[in-house]
Amino acid sequence: MTPLRITAREAATGPVLEVSGDLDYASATELRERVTALALRPGLRLVLDLGCMEFCDSSGLTALIAARSHAHAARADLALAAVPANTLRIMRIVGLDQVFTLHPDIRSATTP
């Protein structure tokens, strides 16, 4: 298991959280806490860069859904960038690819 690391930065579109390691039952709460601590406002886009995420279980998917709910409550957008193929496959199976805005890379996700 690879420990979860979350690195925050700002882009022209709003906050970016780079998620690396395993997003699972043991670590999903950390992502939820980091997202809810963000001061989102209308018109911003929160981007979760998942390019370095190695594993995501159902708790991780639930944390992503909670992040989307938090952003929408603030009337902000949420986008997922560079979703790993194994996670994207699961998202497609359960229909989450229709719920999230997905970008192939961080550059396209943070372009205004």
Side-chain angles (χ1 to χ4, degrees), residues 1 4 8 11-12 19 25-27 34-35 38 57 64-65 99 108 110:
M1 296 185 74
L4 181 71
V19 178
Y25 177 78
S27 62
R34 290 291 298 269
V35 168
L38 294 172
D57 69 6
L64 296 177
I65 293 167
V99 173
S108 65
T110 56

Side-chain angles (χ1 to χ4, degrees), residues 8-46:
R9 66 180 176 86
E10 286 293 321
T13 53
V16 175
L17 295 180
E18 180 182 310
V19 178
S20 62
D22 295 346
L23 181 58
D24 57 15
Y25 177 78
S27 62
T29 301
E30 183 178 347
L31 178 62
R32 286 182 191 202
E33 290 172 353
R34 290 291 298 269
V35 168
T36 57
L38 294 172
L40 298 176
R41 59 183 193 276
L44 289 182
R45 179 185 312 144
L46 168 59

Side-chain angles (χ1 to χ4, degrees), residues 42-78:
L44 289 182
R45 179 185 312 144
L46 168 59
V47 176
L48 300 181
D49 179 359
L50 305 180
C52 293
M53 185 175 69
E54 295 181 22
F55 175 78
C56 182
D57 69 6
S58 61
S59 297
L61 291 176
T62 302
L64 296 177
I65 293 167
R68 181 181 179 274
S69 295
H70 177 71
H72 283 252
R75 295 184 19 228
D77 293 324
L78 178 126

